[in-house]
Amino acid sequence: MILLGSQAIKKNQLEPLSDLEIPAGDFRNRTIEQTMEVLPRGTRRLAAQLRTSACFDSLWKVLTSYDRLNEFIPNLDKSIVESRKGDVITLRQVGSQDFLGFKFSAEVLLELTEMKEQGVLRFSLIKGDFRRFDGSWLIHQLPNQQGSSLVYELTVQGCMGMPVSLIETRLRKDLTNNLLAVEKVALSNKS
């Protein structure tokens, strides 16, 4: 089951992403559960979940290495902490990718709130190249030390002239690749 906002999505409502580019090696034939919801005015709500052998602390450490996220998150060119006040971080990120032969670049200034006890890292748009860009990373330790569940939720609404409906497949692929990149770094840091 994936939690999407306050709404639970049952597993049978999710689609395995076997058609997406998943890196070779340890990640081949991975099943990532994913859902996408079409909302009014070009808004999409997406959620993806990965079960992994990486432990909670390793995943949390990777996700909160804000100044290094661009080193392993695909299509993320810059990730810079602008300020930090306790558990609230202001983060500037620039991402880019090729889409239909054009280079697309977007910048966002995000406010992140760390809730480590709950395994939640929530982010929301302060300003940027989207009308809406908010969501969360959720980490849940599985019973009997069987690893963790890593969930990435995103609600995105493009600015005028940005056809989100045309980039849905790209968004889905990016969620998958982001989950796998975080897992790969968390597992490589395992001691």
Side-chain angles (χ1 to χ4, degrees):
M1 182 180 300
I2 290 182
L3 294 174
L4 186 57
S6 61
Q7 178 180 22
I9 309 282
K10 293 182 181 173
K11 190 173 180 175
N12 62 2
Q13 293 175 297
L14 303 173
E15 307 168 29
L17 299 182
S18 56
D19 61 328
L20 298 181
E21 296 171 19
I22 296 177
D26 296 332
F27 306 106
R28 192 175 298 272
N29 299 322
R30 297 299 302 274
T31 299
I32 294 180
E33 298 171 350
Q34 190 176 93
T35 186
M36 178 183 291
E37 184 180 355
V38 178
L39 301 174
R41 291 180 250 144
T43 303
R44 300 295 183 268
R45 185 179 305 161
L46 304 97
Q49 177 180 23
L50 169 69
R51 291 179 191 267
T52 176
S53 61
C55 72
F56 178 96
D57 288 332
S58 293
L59 291 166
W60 187 262
K61 183 178 177 182
V62 171
L63 291 174
T64 57
S65 299
Y66 306 115
D67 286 326
R68 296 188 55 232
L69 292 175
N70 61 305
E71 294 175 17
F72 54 86
I73 298 287
N75 302 315
L76 184 60
D77 295 332
K78 293 181 185 175
S79 184
I80 302 163
V81 173
E82 302 253 320
S83 69
R84 180 177 191 113
K85 292 179 183 155
D87 293 336
V88 178
I89 297 90
T90 303
L91 182 67
R92 182 172 306 280
Q93 293 186 324
V94 178
S96 67
Q97 59 186 253
D98 292 320
F99 181 69
L100 298 175
F102 296 98
K103 183 88 168 176
F104 173 77
S105 181
E107 182 172 343
V108 293
L109 184 65
L110 302 172
E111 179 178 277
L112 292 94
T113 304
E114 296 177 349
M115 296 173 268
K116 187 174 183 180
E117 293 297 316
Q118 294 88 11
V120 177
L121 178 59
R122 191 169 316 279
F123 58 90
S124 59
L125 181 69
I126 296 171
K127 67 179 181 177
D129 294 327
F130 297 92
R131 282 186 278 182
R132 184 168 180 191
F133 191 90
D134 53 63
S136 60
W137 288 90
L138 306 153
I139 307 168
H140 176 71
Q141 189 74 44
L142 297 174
N144 302 323
Q145 303 299 320
Q146 295 295 316
S148 304
S149 168
L150 178 62
V151 177
Y152 182 35
E153 299 177 345
L154 175 66
T155 302
V156 61
Q157 181 182 24
C159 290
M160 293 297 248
M162 182 189 295
V164 173
S165 60
L166 290 178
I167 60 172
E168 284 180 6
T169 301
R170 188 76 226 187
L171 287 169
R172 293 168 50 123
K173 188 179 295 187
D174 286 349
L175 265 99
T176 295
N177 290 336
N178 290 352
L179 285 169
L180 293 171
V182 169
E183 179 191 40
K184 182 177 181 181
V185 175
L187 289 172
S188 69
N189 291 336
K190 218 174 181 180
S191 41

